[in-house]
Each structure stands twice: as structure tokens, then as C-alpha cells.
Amino acid sequence: MTNAIEEALEAKIPGFKARIGGEELKRASAALLGVSPAAEDGESDGNDALGSPFTGTLSWLSLDFEPDPLIKELLYSTRRYAALSRRKPSDLEAVYNYGLILQEIASRLKLDVEMGRREVENERIVEILALACCKYEKSVAIQEDFQPALYNWGVALMELSGLVKVTNPAQALCYLHEASQKYAKSLGAVPSNPQALNNWGLVLQEVSSFHHDLSTKLRLAVKAIDKFRRAIRLRPDFDHGCYNLGTIFYSHACILRTQLQKSQPNEYQSSEGALLPIFSLLVGGEKATSEAVDIMMRTAAQYIVLAYALQPAKEVYQQSLRVVQNMHTLPKPYLAAGYLKAPSLSTRNDTSKTWEKLLFVLDHTIMRSNPSTQHAGRGGVQETTETSNETYNIPLSDIVSAVRCVELSLPEGEAFWLQTKTTPQGIYFVAEDKESADCWVDALTLCHHIHTQNRSNVLGVALGATPPKK
């Protein structure tokens, strides 16, 4: 029955995808097709499933006069789930699906308003979302760790915040704080949900827009970046998280650049000219502030180029790619370039390794050391390679995984471990700072995924390393 419902839904509603997907929306999907969940189990709805005309929150909507057939079916389904939840208040599936359908109605109405297809007051949509939140709250009361309800509760609170931000910013901020709590609890139940991590990062980023204190903004940005990074490392094809990393670095680089253009001293800068610790978390190390802007812009460009390579057909990625290409911040034709400490190839397998500081570059095909030309290092300074007869050449096709690590036997710095097919024991690299190490891990992880999807040429064109197809 479930497969038939899913097939009918796909045919009937092009592009429709459940928020969570899978079995948990079985009954909601059945209701969308006008099939009673109770009847599916061999139980009759009775007259109360059809009920009387809508009252309260949905009283202004009419089944008879609703022009959108999908919203009409959603409204019809609310009656069914209202009846089911009244008959058995402890029915988790009925209560949760009731909230899910209310949220879908609100989202459809909001989209219609934005597209100019109908006029609906914000307050009406707010009422429906608030009612959906009540259903999610009841679902969690029935089962405390019910992840779908916690996740969608967070989504609804984010939507509520956006709807009231202009008229009631204090309430909007309150909704965001609540959404953050819901995503935290959702991840407590299911830690491996990249969408929940991404949404949590978006909430933190939005909360930062309510604060005027730049130090607070940066603290929230650091937390948001952590959530986006965890999302793309869980799922390297998650282009939204990758793009969000690019935009958050870009926006905060613009904030710092604005501060630098002001006449008063920059509040991130100490009397000795070094960056305050919270800002150094974003750029790595205590850099001069103009250099920090360049680093952040280069980091932003890296993630935007990668997002484009993951989904080149998206218009917003195409536009953002043109912006970063015009900034000339990347060490083209490479995606990344910088100094790393690496074990000497002659002693790599020895118990006592000899470590060398080498310039590494990464493009759309390979990570290698000692390139023959000069390239911008992480600090934006032209750096030349050391003379060495040893050269690392690690094709993307050879990479298995890249992860951050802590190993006391390694040289001072921030380490990451690269496992390859030819060296299953892995290779340790040590970067100068945390942000640099994280950027290398993300770049290697995403470039490897892009290679496995046969999109290396797309990345090469974005970097100017290969000519575009005519």
C-alpha cells in the first residue's frame, strides 16, 4: 500500500518530497490522496472524520471554494487527523501527521502569497504554524525523543520567526532560540542528520543578525560554521551546507572590511595589532586585519566554488561563482594552497619520522607538494617552495577519507589524517592553525566526492584549470 501511495503522490504532485521521508509519513501521504489512515487499517472513520465546517484557526478556509486542489486535499486531511487524534489522543502518528499537514498548508499559503497568487494576512499563516507547533509539542509529550516532531518543530519555529521579524523582532528572536533547542534535541535523538545540523547553523546565523555587538556576532558565526561543517562531513553531497559556509565567511569578511574602513580603531584588534582570540577562530592565528579579510574571502570562495561543482545547474551558485571569480582570491588554477608539515617520504613508514614543511596545492584532480610555480599561501603572501627531491602526489581517485585528529606524537600545530587506497595506514599532515586544517579536510572530502560523481571537469572549469566545453 505504501509504495502505491508514494507512486501516486509523485504522479499527482510533481516535485513533492516529504520533509523527513519514508515510513513515518505513511499515514499523512495516505491522507493526501484522500485515503483514510484508519480505513487503511480496516477501521471506519465514522461521521466525525468528515466533521462540520472548519472552526477556529482554519475557519476562514473553505473546502468548497479552495482553488488549489492540493491545499484542498490537505484541508480535508486535517479533518481526518483531527478526528483520529480526538478519538485517541495518545496516537503519536495521528497527532504528528496532523501537525505535519498543518505546516504544509502554511508553507503552501506562504508560497502563494510570495508568488502573488493569493492574499493572506501573515497572522493567518502564523496561526496555522502555531497550531502545528502545538501538535509537535503533543507528539513529543507522547514520545520524548521522537526526532521527526522535534525536527519539524524547529522548522516551523524558523518559519514563524521569519513571519514576525518585522512586526515583532523580540518574538522572532524568541522563536529562533526555541528552534535552536529543538534542533539540539533532534540531533540528540538522531546525531547523523545533516539537514538538522544545517538548519541549526542557519538559526545561529540568523540570531547573529539581531545582535549589534560584533564579538557576539562572531561567537555565533563560529558556532554556525561548526554546524555547517559537521553537515557536509556527514554528507559530502550536501551542497546547501557547503554554500552556507561560503556565505557566512563572505558576510563576516564584509563586516570586518567595513570596520577597517572606519576611522576608529577596530574592536577586534589589540593594541599590538593582533586579532582578538574570538576572531582568530575564524581565520586561524593572529593575523593583521587586512590579511584576515583576504583569508576569509579566500575561504568563502573555496566553499562557493565547491558548492557550484556539486550542483552547477543552480542559478544562485552560478551567480555566486561569478562574484568570487571576479574577486581573484583563489590561488588559481588551484582550489587550495598552503604550507603543511608532512613526514619525509623516505621516513614515512619509520617509527621515527622526519617532518618537512612543504607547500601543498590541491586542484580538481590531485593534491601534490612542491609545485613548480609560486602560489598564494593561506596568508595571501606569495611563497616559494622549498627545494626537495621528494614530492607528494595524491590523486583524488586514491583518496578514501580525510578527518581531523589529535595525536600527541605529531609536531606542533593542527593535524588531519588522510587515508588513501595506496596507504591504508594513512598519512598525517599538520597545518599551522585550526581553520587551515578544517579547510583542507573539507576541500579534500568534497573534491574526492566530486571526483566520484564524475564532475571533476566542472570543478576544473570553475578554477580555470580546464577550458569550458563549447
Side-chain angles (χ1 to χ4, degrees):
M1 178 66 180
T2 302
N3 291 338
I5 290 171
E6 291 174 351
E7 291 172 3
L9 271 173
E10 290 178 3
K12 191 169 187 177
I13 313 168
F16 177 80
K17 298 292 182 183
R19 293 180 187 275
I20 300 298
E23 282 298 311
E24 64 267 24
L25 293 184
K26 176 182 175 183
R27 294 193 177 210
S29 299
L32 288 174
L33 292 171
V35 179
S36 164
E40 185 182 350
D41 294 332
E43 178 186 343
S44 172
D45 308 44
N47 293 330
D48 59 343
L50 297 176
S52 56
F54 295 117
T55 58
T57 301
L58 299 177
S59 60
W60 56 279
L61 290 168
S62 170
L63 271 173
D64 295 331
F65 298 103
E66 173 54 47
D68 186 329
L70 176 58
I71 291 181
K72 191 169 185 174
E73 291 189 47
L74 289 168
L75 289 170
Y76 186 77
S77 298
T78 61
R79 289 184 171 187
R80 294 175 176 270
Y81 282 119
L84 285 171
S85 58
R86 280 197 302 271
R87 265 185 273 162
K88 190 176 180 182
S90 61
D91 187 336
L92 174 61
E93 195 170 20
V95 175
Y96 167 65
N97 287 342
Y98 190 5
L100 198 63
I101 290 172
L102 287 168
Q103 187 171 356
E104 189 64 30
I105 291 172
S107 297
R108 294 278 172 176
L109 291 173
K110 183 171 178 285
L111 179 62
D112 282 353
V113 171
E114 292 171 351
M115 299 295 291
R117 292 194 290 257
R118 72 170 77 205
E119 293 183 5
V120 179
E121 295 178 357
N122 261 8
E123 289 76 7
R124 298 289 195 185
I125 302 175
V126 167
E127 287 175 359
I128 298 174
L129 282 171
L131 183 57
C133 288
C134 289
K135 303 308 171 187
Y136 294 142
E137 184 176 13
K138 289 182 179 179
S139 299
V140 174
I142 297 170
Q143 182 177 320
E144 187 177 357
D145 62 346
F146 188 52
Q147 188 269 344
L150 289 165
Y151 171 79
N152 281 294
W153 195 355
V155 173
L157 288 165
M158 288 176 70
E159 293 175 351
L160 279 168
S161 177
L163 288 167
V164 305
K165 184 175 181 179
V166 175
T167 58
N168 193 343
Q171 182 62 59
L173 183 59
C174 181
Y175 283 140
L176 289 173
H177 285 308
E178 289 184 42
S180 183
Q181 294 170 6
K182 300 304 175 286
Y183 287 129
K185 290 181 179 179
S186 168
L187 287 160
V190 180
S192 58
N193 185 346
Q195 187 64 61
L197 283 163
N198 180 70
N199 286 9
W200 194 0
L202 289 173
V203 167
L204 293 167
Q205 193 172 1
E206 182 64 17
V207 169
S208 73
S209 70
F210 285 81
H211 293 275
H212 300 292
D213 173 58
L214 294 178
S215 181
T216 302
K217 281 180 176 290
L218 282 175
R219 285 186 173 87
L220 289 165
V222 169
K223 292 180 179 180
I225 288 168
D226 174 68
K227 303 299 180 288
F228 295 142
R229 279 206 165 114
R230 286 168 59 190
I232 63 173
R233 291 176 188 179
L234 276 172
R235 212 182 85 192
D237 66 336
F238 192 55
D239 58 289
H240 294 292
C242 185
Y243 184 72
N244 288 334
L245 278 166
T247 59
I248 195 169
F249 275 106
Y250 181 84
S251 62
H252 282 81
C254 291
I255 290 172
L256 180 58
R257 177 174 288 168
T258 299
Q259 288 299 113
L260 287 171
Q261 293 170 349
K262 293 180 179 180
S263 57
Q264 67 267 32
N266 188 284
E267 71 174 89
Y268 294 133
Q269 200 167 357
S270 68
S271 58
E272 291 78 22
L275 290 183
L276 297 180
I278 184 62
F279 193 77
S280 68
L281 289 175
L282 281 177
V283 296
E286 295 186 346
K287 311 287 185 179
T289 50
S290 60
E291 190 177 331
V293 172
D294 293 338
I295 291 172
M296 293 180 71
M297 285 295 186
R298 189 174 301 111
T299 304
Q302 173 181 304
Y303 288 109
I304 287 171
V305 167
L306 287 167
Y308 168 80
L310 288 168
Q311 290 291 340
K314 289 191 176 181
E315 185 177 355
V316 66
Y317 296 172
Q318 296 170 8
Q319 295 171 349
S320 298
L321 177 66
R322 288 193 288 270
V323 170
V324 299
Q325 285 175 331
N326 292 332
M327 293 191 310
H328 303 291
T329 57
L330 286 175
K332 289 185 177 180
Y334 301 116
L335 178 72
Y339 275 84
L340 297 171
K341 295 174 187 174
S344 170
L345 288 171
S346 60
T347 64
R348 190 174 65 185
N349 297 321
D350 297 348
T351 305
S352 299
K353 296 179 177 63
T354 302
W355 291 82
E356 295 183 300
K357 185 178 180 181
L358 305 172
L359 178 61
F360 281 84
V361 294
L362 173 66
D363 63 15
H364 63 297
T365 61
I366 193 169
M367 175 189 184
R368 64 176 181 268
S369 64
N370 294 335
S372 58
T373 56
Q374 290 183 333
H375 296 283
R378 179 160 169 77
V381 180
Q382 292 294 321
E383 299 173 294
T384 57
T385 64
E386 284 88 356
T387 56
S388 173
N389 295 324
E390 298 180 334
T391 302
Y392 277 88
N393 289 286
I394 307 172
L396 294 178
S397 58
D398 192 35
I399 292 175
V400 176
S401 65
V403 295
R404 292 279 274 115
C405 63
V406 177
E407 175 57 58
L408 298 179
S409 64
L410 298 178
E412 183 179 358
E414 296 287 337
F416 64 93
W417 181 71
L418 184 65
Q419 184 184 17
T420 68
K421 296 172 185 176
T422 54
T423 54
Q425 73 274 18
I427 309 168
Y428 288 100
F429 297 94
V430 181
E432 293 179 357
D433 50 69
K434 178 183 181 299
E435 184 56 40
S436 179
D438 281 327
C439 283
W440 275 106
V441 168
D442 292 342
L444 288 163
T445 299
L446 295 175
C447 282
H448 169 62
H449 174 76
I450 289 165
H451 171 79
T452 63
Q453 300 302 305
N454 297 317
R455 291 179 181 165
S456 293
N457 186 64
V458 176
L459 180 56
V461 171
L463 294 171
T466 58
K469 292 183 179 180
K470 295 183 179 179

